Amino acid sequence: MIRIGLLGCGRIGQVHARSISQIEGARVTAVADAFAEPAQALAARTGAEVLDPLALIDSPNVDAVVIGTPTDTHYDLIHAATRAGKAIFCEKPVDLSSNRIRDCKTVVEQAGVPFLTAFNRRFDPNFADLQNRLRHGQIGDVEIVTIQSRDPSPPPVSYIQSSGGLFRDMMIHDLDMARFLVGEEFVRIYAVGASLVDPEIGKAGDVDTAAVTLTTASGKICQITNSRRASYGYDQRIEVHGSGGMLRAENVHETTVEIATASGFTKAPAQHFFLERYEAAYQAEMTHFVDAVASGSSPTPNLNDGLQAQLLADAAAGSLVQGTPVDLI
Amino acid sequence: MIRIGLLGCGRIGQVHARSISQIEGARVTAVADAFAEPAQALAARTGAEVLDPLALIDSPNVDAVVIGTPTDTHYDLIHAATRAGKAIFCEKPVDLSSNRIRDCKTVVEQAGVPFLTAFNRRFDPNFADLQNRLRHGQIGDVEIVTIQSRDPSPPPVSYIQSSGGLFRDMMIHDLDMARFLVGEEFVRIYAVGASLVDPEIGKAGDVDTAAVTLTTASGKICQITNSRRASYGYDQRIEVHGSGGMLRAENVHETTVEIATASGFTKAPAQHFFLERYEAAYQAEMTHFVDAVASGSSPTPNLNDGLQAQLLADAAAGSLVQGTPVDLI
Amino acid sequence: MIRIGLLGCGRIGQVHARSISQIEGARVTAVADAFAEPAQALAARTGAEVLDPLALIDSPNVDAVVIGTPTDTHYDLIHAATRAGKAIFCEKPVDLSSNRIRDCKTVVEQAGVPFLTAFNRRFDPNFADLQNRLRHGQIGDVEIVTIQSRDPSPPPVSYIQSSGGLFRDMMIHDLDMARFLVGEEFVRIYAVGASLVDPEIGKAGDVDTAAVTLTTASGKICQITNSRRASYGYDQRIEVHGSGGMLRAENVHETTVEIATASGFTKAPAQHFFLERYEAAYQAEMTHFVDAVASGSSPTPNLNDGLQAQLLADAAAGSLVQGTPVDLI
Amino acid sequence: MIRIGLLGCGRIGQVHARSISQIEGARVTAVADAFAEPAQALAARTGAEVLDPLALIDSPNVDAVVIGTPTDTHYDLIHAATRAGKAIFCEKPVDLSSNRIRDCKTVVEQAGVPFLTAFNRRFDPNFADLQNRLRHGQIGDVEIVTIQSRDPSPPPVSYIQSSGGLFRDMMIHDLDMARFLVGEEFVRIYAVGASLVDPEIGKAGDVDTAAVTLTTASGKICQITNSRRASYGYDQRIEVHGSGGMLRAENVHETTVEIATASGFTKAPAQHFFLERYEAAYQAEMTHFVDAVASGSSPTPNLNDGLQAQLLADAAAGSLVQGTPVDLI
């Protein structure tokens, strides 16, 4: 039985608590939050005790911690948990600073504690199946990856301001997915972007519509587009063109129902809410983490994956400012 | 070069003239129609001469005739063409009376003239491909055939009155398709129907919504539904469930364009107009006829196919009146 | 808090226990089974106590019972629970004898206890959405309903022998769905069927491939096909043609991934396992039952729905034997 | 009646001849080719006379010329036809040199002769419908255009060598399409590419896999990928994300037939051959040209469109060499 301490009892903490409740070999034993109310509510639901974050980390009843607190607290919590020798599941981004992620990587690797960077989309059954088929050579060598990733609607500008910007907050998922699919590091990135959705986002110094092109040393190409708005739902599509064919994962629609009238044949919109769209992914992600901790194997994506994705996001942000491609190392 | 005489220069005659113009080894050399104007127009377009029907049939410049005149004239024209030893392409239905079709069959078979009953849907590239895959065993043995066949909108009641009724006018295509796909004669048919679309059709003694169930001696099943109205286009779908899988042919849509909005993902309606929907089928049908005449082989569907479909339509009409299944011989 | 006693701790009982665990206002408080082991396992998982069936029914800690025991025990358990004034959730079929279902209906209605007949498919989000759109008139009046329902593979012949036959065991779901969608009672049914999948099923006196045609007094038509085998998954499709358009629910596929090669564009098979395919339906069904019990409203489908579906299945079986349509009342 | 002279009787010339034969108000009256045999064959088919190119251009029986000769002959033929005051339909690319296209543009505009640059894809019914919907605001403002364009298999290296390279030979169609859809000139282009399909193409100094990112002054983004190989057919897809939704045109498949087995649900490959895929586009293109000439209006795409697409292709080729984005004016 893996005993888990939840750091952060907000929306994402509650998602992880529910995932853990579905796993035979795991249990939430302690919870912590800056606010008393959500911590107590989650404690009541799970039978866990409420502790201070550091007490939770050091508790002998906690084997592993799930870090779902605000991004700027991750660094200290990772260090504390590493010192305590606890397995760590950390929400993305690990930190807004690549250098600070590099620090975490150093201590985590030295200590040898299991660490999972929570890029949940790798665990989506559709994307995982697609990557698995790639790995088994179903379409030969990867040549072109294209990712369309669009949120249903933009977050409030207040959120944008502390998010690190579109590349670090939103596209980082797609950059990780690109690495996951291509199986080779990218050597160059070129980014374009504009504020087309909400002028307030532009005034806040960010873009809401963006695209990047990535290339590897062997010539593989990846193109990604992002928008903060999609009236038709949470648009999450991936396509890989290879030497032997093409693999693609289409959107998940709300239902399988289609209506046909004089206007045409209409299927339901794509699922809108990310917690619904990625419900199975969150479950699979936690199951993978618990299995890895229980078996002593290393969970993936690891802290290096978290770092590499952040470096790509940083480079994309730099490319946008400079108007030129940026070389990665 | 196969020299063809067109009997009937109305809408369907013009379709066949255009098909012939696309075939290297065929040419329209003579046309006939009860009205002078359409005959002259088609003659001008094709370079053919205008003749009386019987003169056309007997013309030494005519190797084969295409009969696209009103149904009640088919019988005499078939007999005349048979006497003249001409190959015959005859629009469906061959006749509204099965006995008269049987007469035609007798003389045509005795004379040995090539005869094609124009069940154009057999030549639709999609349905032909489906049938070809069946014949090659791609889904094993046929077990259940389901056909949905619905017109965009009902014809005028005046047309209904002389049509022979829904089973002989509309469902006959589906009954022929069922025979084509199942590859075994049906032994029993049960029909239901009602006038749900237009009460005037009911007053005229016909139904506008109907369904049949057919069975073969070996236990294969076919279900067909018909409606005289479909707001979403000309609905023409076929599905075959076999011992090893399923084959189905979906509708042909007006375009491949899809629009996604908050209302969902909308594809274009199905093509509405039967001449557009079956344009390729009409062409392939005529090409098959010309090839058969040129090579001396027998075209299919032949006059027996025309007869069997008519017998099924008669039996369906009988079943509807009696409220019980009807055995076919 | 609705306290629920589970009668039957087999596969379906465990499904219901898991559904209940996801509902805030409900809890399993007692379990019963003919075998000690599954009862104790489920008690351990849920914190419930293990009781004899009749003790469970009479327990003051039980507000409602979920009957998931073998079909031939339903009758006595329903009577006992009714006498105890408990709300009843009963798996289908309520009984293999329509007369015995009628008895149950009499006592349940006299006692006024809430009763849900567990036709789970009504709660499938896709089918429920389709029916909801029908009820809101999105395609006008219902005219033709077509249902394709095919199991991935046949059950063992031993199961067939005690199942009541294909119509009462398998098609009963589709017959209930037809009533649910058409919103009008059927007045006539015609059934055909054969043993095409497994000759042993035929020797056991049953069919494995079947189709029915149902009609209502107003002329609406429903056609259903069933097969005990579908290599491509659990085939569960519904289509309704109405005066204003068409609604259809397609299969649920294993993933959204498509691979394109020289062979074509291939999507994943349909989900194979009914517990996976209808997982959301089982959850919604139990939530509906608990909500109805908590609010004092009547759950649906009720015992009359269970009776009517059984009468349709009986009539289908009779029609198959007689070879003629059977009138319902 | 528009009398047309065909310059070039190869594959594309024959396509145009067939298109013209379907247009009531047009006729091929003269043909010319460097080789006698194809010219005579086409003359026999159409009833046209065989002439030398310049005699054809000057013939009083020719109102308009269709230039389907090798690219390096276009320049002189355009000048000659312009001097003769004939309407011009010219295959793409107009020339491999932008400066020479600019020369043509100058003389053509001064002379005021109608000129169509044959970017046939604008006339594809699917893409034309998509663009028409954009123009009518069905998804609001255009924000992101993504185009996937992949040939079934690479041409011989000998062709590559005289083609002007992937950007000028293949992507030029997509660059024109991007301009057509975005409705705004691009100000910057960034290209990447590699030889992943055939090393011989790389040795010949070209790429076979490429991608570009284009931006407009207002921030609209377009991404295009190209590959010279796609096992699954001629992959031609377009997608536009706008402020109010998304429009996309999917591939045209060989048939509408789908087979379902244990391997999944398989649809036919995309149509492989460009002449088949764009048959309707070639017809619509020629009809548009004839209509414009007949009515005295200006056909589009015009010579400026031909020039702008070529400038984009030049800039893409330059960007690939330099490794940096290229500004367009």
Side-chain angles (χ1 to χ4, degrees):
Chain A
M1 175 65 63
I2 306 298
R3 298 163 305 168
I4 296 177
L6 275 185
L7 295 159
C9 300
R11 190 165 63 173
I12 194 67
Q14 291 165 34
V15 168
H16 292 317
R18 198 168 61 167
S19 295
I20 295 165
S21 78
Q22 300 294 314
I23 301 173
E24 295 273 322
R27 194 152 59 87
V28 177
T29 52
V31 299
D33 198 277
F35 298 93
E37 197 274 325
Q40 279 157 6
L42 201 52
R45 195 115 36 102
T46 58
E49 62 182 328
V50 178
L51 293 175
D52 280 342
L54 296 183
L56 180 151
I57 286 171
D58 290 329
S59 165
N61 292 324
V62 165
D63 303 312
V65 296
V66 169
I67 302 178
T69 51
T71 303
D72 58 7
T73 67
H74 290 183
Y75 183 90
D76 290 342
L77 294 172
I78 290 169
H79 278 76
T82 302
R83 280 192 301 271
K86 302 299 167 72
I88 302 169
F89 175 116
C90 184
E91 270 307 316
K92 58 108 308 218
V94 174
D95 196 278
L96 289 181
S97 150
S98 304
N99 282 335
R100 283 161 61 94
I101 300 179
R102 214 175 258 118
D103 284 352
C104 291
K105 181 167 177 279
T106 303
V107 299
V108 161
E109 288 180 0
Q110 280 172 354
V113 295
F115 191 105
L116 181 129
T117 304
F119 284 124
N120 58 301
R121 294 186 197 172
R122 289 197 185 199
F123 298 92
D124 174 69
N126 305 301
F127 300 153
D129 178 65
L130 191 156
Q131 194 265 354
N132 189 48
R133 286 158 173 260
L134 276 185
R135 210 180 51 213
H136 285 83
Q138 291 193 4
I139 58 163
D141 294 329
V142 173
E143 294 176 351
I144 305 171
V145 174
T146 47
I147 300 178
Q148 316 304 332
S149 175
R150 297 157 189 162
D151 287 349
S153 49
V157 172
S158 58
Y159 172 85
I160 295 279
Q161 282 159 340
S162 63
S163 70
L166 179 143
F167 296 107
R168 293 184 189 87
D169 173 56
M170 179 178 177
M171 195 182 280
I172 194 167
H173 279 292
D174 307 303
L175 294 166
D176 178 64
M177 184 56 70
R179 289 184 66 245
F180 183 51
L181 298 175
V182 168
E184 200 178 310
E185 294 298 342
F186 293 106
V187 297
R188 182 174 272 206
I189 187 167
Y190 173 69
V192 297
S195 172
L196 302 178
V197 173
D198 181 352
E200 294 302 314
I201 291 177
K203 286 183 199 158
D206 200 5
V207 293
D208 49 38
T209 304
V212 299
T213 299
L214 300 127
T215 42
T216 71
S218 72
K220 297 179 191 344
I221 298 168
C222 173
Q223 290 197 316
I224 301 170
T225 74
N226 273 188
S227 171
R228 290 284 195 183
R229 173 189 54 200
S231 62
Y232 44 93
Y234 188 23
D235 190 8
Q236 299 278 289
R237 286 171 293 142
I238 288 174
E239 171 178 322
V240 184
H241 175 85
S243 56
M246 176 173 65
L247 274 165
R248 58 179 170 177
E250 255 295 333
N251 279 312
V252 178
H253 291 262
E254 288 173 353
T255 69
T256 66
V257 176
E258 185 178 49
I259 184 167
T261 67
S263 311
F265 287 67
T266 302
K267 287 195 299 186
Q271 289 185 337
H272 267 73
F273 189 40
F274 76 96
L275 291 181
E276 181 187 24
R277 170 63 183 84
Y278 285 118
E279 185 180 5
Y282 285 116
Q283 182 66 62
E285 178 183 53
M286 188 57 75
T287 299
H288 169 73
F289 176 69
V290 167
D291 287 352
V293 174
S295 68
S297 60
S298 299
T300 52
N302 61 22
L303 200 31
N304 184 53
D305 294 311
L307 176 61
Q308 296 306 324
Q310 190 74 16
L311 290 171
L312 288 175
D314 289 350
S319 171
L320 179 67
V321 170
Q322 299 162 32
T324 57
V326 168
D327 288 330
L328 299 148
I329 309 312
Chain B
M1 175 67 61
I2 306 299
R3 298 163 304 167
I4 298 177
L6 276 186
L7 294 159
C9 300
R11 190 163 63 173
I12 195 67
Q14 292 165 33
V15 167
H16 293 317
R18 199 169 59 168
S19 295
I20 295 165
S21 77
Q22 300 294 314
I23 301 173
E24 295 272 322
R27 194 152 59 88
V28 178
T29 52
V31 300
D33 198 276
F35 298 93
E37 196 274 325
Q40 280 156 4
L42 202 52
R45 195 115 36 105
T46 57
E49 62 181 328
V50 179
L51 294 174
D52 279 342
L54 296 183
L56 181 151
I57 287 170
D58 289 330
S59 166
N61 293 322
V62 166
D63 305 310
V65 296
V66 170
I67 303 177
T69 51
T71 303
D72 56 7
T73 67
H74 290 183
Y75 183 89
D76 290 341
L77 294 171
I78 290 170
H79 278 75
T82 302
R83 280 192 301 272
K86 303 297 167 76
I88 302 169
F89 176 116
C90 184
E91 270 306 315
K92 57 106 311 214
V94 174
D95 196 279
L96 289 181
S97 149
S98 305
N99 281 335
R100 282 161 61 94
I101 300 179
R102 212 176 260 118
D103 285 350
C104 292
K105 181 166 176 279
T106 303
V107 298
V108 162
E109 289 179 359
Q110 280 173 349
V113 296
F115 191 106
L116 181 129
T117 304
F119 285 124
N120 59 300
R121 294 187 196 172
R122 289 197 184 200
F123 298 92
D124 174 69
N126 305 301
F127 300 153
D129 178 66
L130 191 156
Q131 193 265 356
N132 189 47
R133 287 158 173 260
L134 276 184
R135 209 180 51 212
H136 284 85
Q138 290 194 3
I139 60 165
D141 294 328
V142 172
E143 294 176 351
I144 304 171
V145 174
T146 47
I147 299 178
Q148 316 303 332
S149 175
R150 296 156 190 163
D151 287 348
S153 50
V157 172
S158 59
Y159 172 86
I160 295 279
Q161 282 159 339
S162 63
S163 70
L166 179 141
F167 296 108
R168 291 182 190 89
D169 172 57
M170 178 178 177
M171 195 181 280
I172 195 167
H173 279 292
D174 307 304
L175 294 166
D176 177 65
M177 185 58 70
R179 289 184 66 245
F180 183 51
L181 298 175
V182 168
E184 201 178 310
E185 294 298 343
F186 293 105
V187 297
R188 181 173 274 204
I189 188 166
Y190 173 70
V192 297
S195 172
L196 303 178
V197 172
D198 181 353
E200 294 302 314
I201 292 176
K203 285 182 200 158
D206 198 6
V207 293
D208 49 39
T209 305
V212 299
T213 299
L214 300 128
T215 42
T216 71
S218 73
K220 299 181 190 342
I221 298 167
C222 173
Q223 289 197 319
I224 300 170
T225 74
N226 273 188
S227 172
R228 289 284 194 182
R229 173 189 53 200
S231 62
Y232 44 93
Y234 188 24
D235 191 7
Q236 298 280 286
R237 285 172 293 141
I238 289 173
E239 169 178 324
V240 183
H241 175 84
S243 56
M246 176 173 65
L247 274 165
R248 56 177 169 177
E250 255 294 335
N251 279 311
V252 178
H253 290 263
E254 289 172 354
T255 69
T256 66
V257 177
E258 185 178 50
I259 183 167
T261 66
S263 310
F265 287 66
T266 302
K267 286 195 299 189
Q271 290 184 337
H272 267 73
F273 190 41
F274 76 96
L275 290 181
E276 181 188 25
R277 170 64 183 84
Y278 285 118
E279 185 181 5
Y282 285 116
Q283 180 67 63
E285 180 182 50
M286 187 58 73
T287 299
H288 169 73
F289 176 69
V290 168
D291 287 351
V293 173
S295 68
S297 61
S298 300
T300 54
N302 60 22
L303 199 34
N304 185 54
D305 294 312
L307 176 61
Q308 296 305 325
Q310 190 75 14
L311 291 172
L312 289 175
D314 289 350
S319 172
L320 179 67
V321 171
Q322 300 162 31
T324 57
V326 168
D327 288 331
L328 299 148
I329 308 311
Chain C
M1 176 64 64
I2 306 299
R3 298 164 305 169
I4 297 177
L6 275 185
L7 294 159
C9 300
R11 190 165 63 173
I12 195 67
Q14 291 165 34
V15 168
H16 293 317
R18 198 169 61 166
S19 294
I20 295 165
S21 78
Q22 300 293 314
I23 301 172
E24 296 272 321
R27 194 152 58 88
V28 178
T29 52
V31 299
D33 198 277
F35 299 92
E37 196 274 325
Q40 280 157 4
L42 202 52
R45 195 117 35 107
T46 57
E49 63 181 329
V50 177
L51 292 175
D52 280 343
L54 295 182
L56 180 150
I57 287 171
D58 289 330
S59 164
N61 292 323
V62 165
D63 304 311
V65 297
V66 170
I67 302 178
T69 51
T71 302
D72 58 7
T73 66
H74 290 183
Y75 183 90
D76 289 341
L77 294 172
I78 290 168
H79 278 76
T82 302
R83 281 192 300 271
K86 302 299 168 71
I88 302 168
F89 175 118
C90 184
E91 269 307 316
K92 59 108 301 214
V94 174
D95 197 277
L96 289 182
S97 150
S98 304
N99 282 335
R100 283 161 60 94
I101 301 178
R102 214 175 257 117
D103 284 351
C104 292
K105 180 167 176 278
T106 304
V107 299
V108 161
E109 288 179 359
Q110 281 173 350
V113 294
F115 191 103
L116 180 129
T117 304
F119 285 124
N120 59 301
R121 293 187 197 173
R122 289 197 184 199
F123 298 93
D124 173 69
N126 305 302
F127 300 153
D129 178 65
L130 191 155
Q131 193 265 354
N132 189 48
R133 286 158 173 260
L134 276 185
R135 208 179 53 213
H136 285 84
Q138 290 194 2
I139 58 164
D141 293 330
V142 173
E143 293 176 351
I144 304 171
V145 174
T146 47
I147 300 178
Q148 316 304 332
S149 174
R150 297 158 189 162
D151 287 348
S153 50
V157 172
S158 58
Y159 172 86
I160 295 279
Q161 282 159 340
S162 64
S163 70
L166 178 141
F167 296 107
R168 292 183 190 87
D169 173 56
M170 180 178 176
M171 195 182 279
I172 194 167
H173 280 292
D174 307 303
L175 295 166
D176 178 64
M177 184 58 69
R179 289 184 66 245
F180 183 51
L181 297 174
V182 168
E184 201 177 309
E185 293 299 342
F186 293 106
V187 297
R188 180 174 274 203
I189 187 167
Y190 173 69
V192 297
S195 173
L196 303 178
V197 173
D198 181 353
E200 294 302 313
I201 292 176
K203 286 183 199 158
D206 199 5
V207 293
D208 49 39
T209 304
V212 299
T213 299
L214 300 127
T215 42
T216 71
S218 72
K220 298 180 189 344
I221 298 167
C222 173
Q223 289 197 318
I224 301 170
T225 75
N226 273 189
S227 172
R228 288 285 194 185
R229 173 190 52 202
S231 62
Y232 45 92
Y234 189 23
D235 191 8
Q236 299 279 287
R237 286 171 294 142
I238 289 173
E239 170 179 323
V240 184
H241 175 84
S243 56
M246 176 173 65
L247 273 164
R248 57 177 170 178
E250 255 295 332
N251 279 313
V252 178
H253 291 262
E254 288 172 354
T255 68
T256 66
V257 176
E258 186 177 49
I259 183 166
T261 67
S263 310
F265 288 66
T266 303
K267 288 196 299 187
Q271 290 185 338
H272 267 73
F273 190 42
F274 77 96
L275 290 181
E276 181 188 23
R277 171 64 184 83
Y278 285 118
E279 184 181 6
Y282 284 116
Q283 181 66 61
E285 179 183 53
M286 188 57 74
T287 300
H288 169 73
F289 177 69
V290 168
D291 286 352
V293 173
S295 68
S297 61
S298 300
T300 53
N302 60 23
L303 199 32
N304 185 54
D305 294 311
L307 175 62
Q308 296 306 324
Q310 190 73 15
L311 291 171
L312 289 175
D314 289 350
S319 172
L320 179 68
V321 170
Q322 300 162 32
T324 56
V326 168
D327 288 330
L328 300 147
I329 310 311
Chain D
M1 175 66 63
I2 305 298
R3 298 164 304 169
I4 298 178
L6 275 185
L7 295 158
C9 300
R11 191 164 63 171
I12 195 68
Q14 291 165 33
V15 168
H16 293 317
R18 198 169 60 168
S19 294
I20 295 165
S21 78
Q22 301 294 313
I23 301 173
E24 296 272 321
R27 193 153 59 88
V28 178
T29 51
V31 298
D33 198 276
F35 298 93
E37 196 275 324
Q40 279 157 5
L42 202 51
R45 195 118 33 108
T46 57
E49 60 182 330
V50 178
L51 293 174
D52 279 342
L54 296 182
L56 181 150
I57 287 171
D58 289 329
S59 166
N61 292 323
V62 166
D63 303 311
V65 296
V66 170
I67 302 178
T69 51
T71 302
D72 57 8
T73 67
H74 290 183
Y75 183 88
D76 290 340
L77 295 172
I78 291 169
H79 277 75
T82 302
R83 279 192 301 271
K86 303 297 167 75
I88 302 170
F89 175 115
C90 184
E91 269 308 315
K92 58 105 308 213
V94 174
D95 196 281
L96 289 182
S97 149
S98 304
N99 282 335
R100 282 160 61 95
I101 301 178
R102 213 175 259 118
D103 284 351
C104 293
K105 181 167 176 279
T106 303
V107 299
V108 161
E109 288 179 0
Q110 280 172 350
V113 295
F115 191 105
L116 182 129
T117 304
F119 284 125
N120 59 301
R121 294 187 197 171
R122 288 197 185 201
F123 297 93
D124 174 69
N126 305 301
F127 299 154
D129 178 66
L130 191 155
Q131 193 264 357
N132 189 46
R133 286 158 174 260
L134 276 184
R135 209 179 52 211
H136 284 84
Q138 290 194 4
I139 59 163
D141 295 328
V142 172
E143 293 176 351
I144 304 171
V145 173
T146 47
I147 300 177
Q148 317 303 332
S149 175
R150 297 157 190 164
D151 287 348
S153 50
V157 171
S158 58
Y159 173 86
I160 294 280
Q161 282 159 338
S162 64
S163 71
L166 179 141
F167 296 108
R168 291 183 190 89
D169 172 58
M170 179 179 178
M171 195 182 280
I172 194 166
H173 279 292
D174 307 303
L175 294 167
D176 178 64
M177 185 57 70
R179 289 184 65 245
F180 183 51
L181 298 174
V182 168
E184 203 177 307
E185 295 298 341
F186 293 106
V187 297
R188 181 173 275 203
I189 188 167
Y190 173 70
V192 297
S195 172
L196 303 178
V197 173
D198 182 352
E200 294 303 313
I201 292 176
K203 285 183 199 156
D206 199 5
V207 293
D208 49 38
T209 305
V212 299
T213 299
L214 300 127
T215 41
T216 70
S218 73
K220 297 180 190 345
I221 297 168
C222 174
Q223 289 197 319
I224 300 169
T225 75
N226 273 187
S227 171
R228 288 284 194 184
R229 173 189 52 201
S231 63
Y232 44 93
Y234 188 24
D235 191 7
Q236 299 280 286
R237 286 171 293 141
I238 290 174
E239 170 179 323
V240 184
H241 175 84
S243 57
M246 176 173 65
L247 274 165
R248 56 177 169 178
E250 254 295 334
N251 279 312
V252 177
H253 291 262
E254 288 173 354
T255 69
T256 66
V257 176
E258 185 178 50
I259 182 166
T261 67
S263 310
F265 288 66
T266 302
K267 286 195 299 188
Q271 289 185 337
H272 268 72
F273 190 41
F274 76 96
L275 290 181
E276 182 188 23
R277 171 64 183 83
Y278 285 118
E279 185 181 5
Y282 284 116
Q283 181 66 63
E285 180 183 50
M286 188 57 73
T287 299
H288 169 72
F289 176 69
V290 167
D291 287 352
V293 173
S295 69
S297 61
S298 301
T300 54
N302 59 24
L303 198 33
N304 184 53
D305 293 313
L307 175 62
Q308 296 305 323
Q310 190 74 15
L311 291 172
L312 289 174
D314 289 349
S319 172
L320 180 67
V321 171
Q322 300 161 29
T324 56
V326 168
D327 288 331
L328 300 148
I329 310 311

